[in-house]
Amino acid sequence: MTAITRRILLGSALALGLAGTAAAQFPERQITLVVPFAAGGSTDVVGRIVAERMSQELGQQIVVQNVGGAGGSLGAQQVAQADADGYTILMATVATHALNPLILTQKPYDPVADFAPISLLVLVPNVLAVNPELPVNTVQELIDLAKEQPLAYASSGNGTPLHLSGELFKSMAGVEIDHIPYKGSGPALTDVLGNQVPIIFDNLPSASGHISSGKLRALGVTTAERAPSFPDIPTIAETLPGYETYTWNALFAPAGTPPEAIEALAVAARTAMADPAVAERMAEFSATIVASGPEELAAHVQAEMAKWEPVVRDANVTMD
């Protein structure tokens, strides 16, 4: 072996050793978790709970940055364009990774090509509820009434998961119910509580207090299984087999992020979600913990886009 060959081999070994050390040390500094909605919503709450526990696991602080606007697209676009080093990650939802890419005429990012999946964290149920003055007590009674007289439902806005939950319901039930969009769940709930609009599709966490007080009558949750926090509320699928919608939260990094960073983040996320204290917090708003790996999340995104594409198309929902 020549001196030059020895130097090359020694240099290669040193480089590999340094690379391994760098990989083992991820993260070496603060991580930014972009929440693509305003502070205070369910996605922000999930993000802050997870960030706090993952920070403990990783030994570096994860700082939540709220980047609201365009139904979550602004924050998602920011992460898609960030350095692919694992230090900027996204708290994604069904809006950022299924609905917006289908609805927006201008595509600011590709939900598959521009992101590296980390973990599907939780599923959060939506709920179909009515003002108690509407003479229905079950999903089937609502379907029957909708076939007899004009009805309308409220949602938090055009193109939102709640709007599309209503459109999927109409399609599967074979009924026509007018959609009344609002600028958020708050004003939508106000009008349904005041009986200006008789029906609402809402996130279960934001409607739960009104359901418990009797100001709203819940007819069905939108998940495949009943919500643990409201076990007496049937699923819509018990009347319309196969019906299933929900809000979900998942972690993504920019495409091209090193595999060792993805693995470290995924392990930390799964460990965080396995913490009984975190599970207790999630149960407070009926979130079902999934804590998947990257491959399962990638498959979930493909399945969600396939499910929602015909609903968006048939409802003719588009946004600039």
Side-chain angles (χ1 to χ4, degrees):
M1 180 183 295
T2 67
I4 293 176
T5 302
R6 281 197 300 272
R7 283 198 299 272
I8 292 172
L9 290 175
L10 286 170
S12 298
L14 180 60
L16 287 171
L18 289 173
T21 301
Q25 289 177 347
F26 177 87
E28 297 180 308
R29 54 186 170 85
Q30 177 179 292
I31 296 169
T32 297
L33 172 60
V34 174
V35 171
F37 299 97
S42 62
T43 297
D44 180 64
V45 172
V46 171
R48 292 178 186 278
I49 294 170
V50 173
E52 180 180 4
R53 184 61 182 84
M54 285 180 65
S55 296
Q56 299 171 16
E57 192 66 24
L58 292 168
Q60 294 287 348
Q61 187 177 12
I62 299 180
V63 177
V64 173
Q65 179 185 14
N66 295 94
V67 183
S73 288
L74 290 182
Q77 183 180 14
Q78 177 174 310
V79 174
Q81 297 173 347
D83 291 339
D85 54 13
Y87 291 97
T88 302
I89 57 178
L90 175 70
M91 179 61 73
T93 71
V94 62
T96 64
H97 274 68
L99 299 182
N100 289 348
L102 295 170
I103 291 169
L104 293 173
T105 55
Q106 301 294 323
K107 312 293 184 186
Y109 57 85
D110 185 306
V112 176
D114 291 341
F115 294 91
I118 299 171
S119 178
L120 175 62
L121 300 174
V122 294
L123 309 180
V124 180
N126 302 323
V127 65
L128 165 60
V130 299
N131 184 286
E133 293 186 23
L134 193 71
V136 297
N137 292 286
T138 67
V139 170
Q140 187 59 56
E141 288 179 359
L142 177 63
I143 293 171
D144 293 341
L145 185 64
K147 292 179 178 179
E148 296 175 359
Q149 67 182 61
L151 292 174
Y153 78 94
S155 85
S156 55
N158 280 319
T160 63
L162 301 168
H163 173 200
L164 274 299
S165 292
E167 296 304 309
L168 182 62
F169 177 83
K170 288 162 54 177
S171 174
M172 293 185 68
V175 295
E176 274 301 321
I177 304 175
D178 290 336
H179 173 231
I180 311 297
Y182 288 80
K183 293 182 179 180
S185 288
L189 277 168
T190 296
D191 274 9
V192 175
L193 292 170
N195 207 25
Q196 279 76 41
V197 183
I199 306 164
I200 189 170
F201 279 86
D202 195 19
N203 295 128
L204 182 56
S206 65
S208 60
H210 300 299
I211 293 169
S212 297
S213 69
K215 294 179 181 178
L216 282 179
R217 178 182 298 138
L219 302 186
V221 294
T222 64
T223 40
E225 298 180 355
R226 295 191 180 197
S229 57
F230 286 92
D232 294 336
I233 303 177
T235 67
I236 294 175
E238 290 173 38
T239 302
L240 297 174
Y243 182 95
E244 183 182 18
T245 75
Y246 40 76
T247 298
W248 48 264
N249 294 118
L251 293 176
F252 288 87
T257 298
E260 60 269 17
I262 295 295
E263 178 64 16
L265 291 164
V267 169
R270 292 196 295 271
T271 302
M273 302 310 289
D275 187 324
V278 171
E280 184 177 350
R281 293 288 305 279
M282 297 299 171
E284 290 175 3
F285 51 96
S286 301
T288 299
I289 292 175
V290 180
S292 79
E295 296 79 10
E296 292 86 355
L297 175 54
H300 177 76
V301 169
Q302 295 284 6
E304 285 286 272
M305 292 188 72
K307 176 177 79 175
W308 286 113
E309 192 279 330
V311 179
V312 169
R313 183 189 62 238
D314 294 346
N316 194 30
V317 180
T318 60
M319 295 176 66
D320 294 330

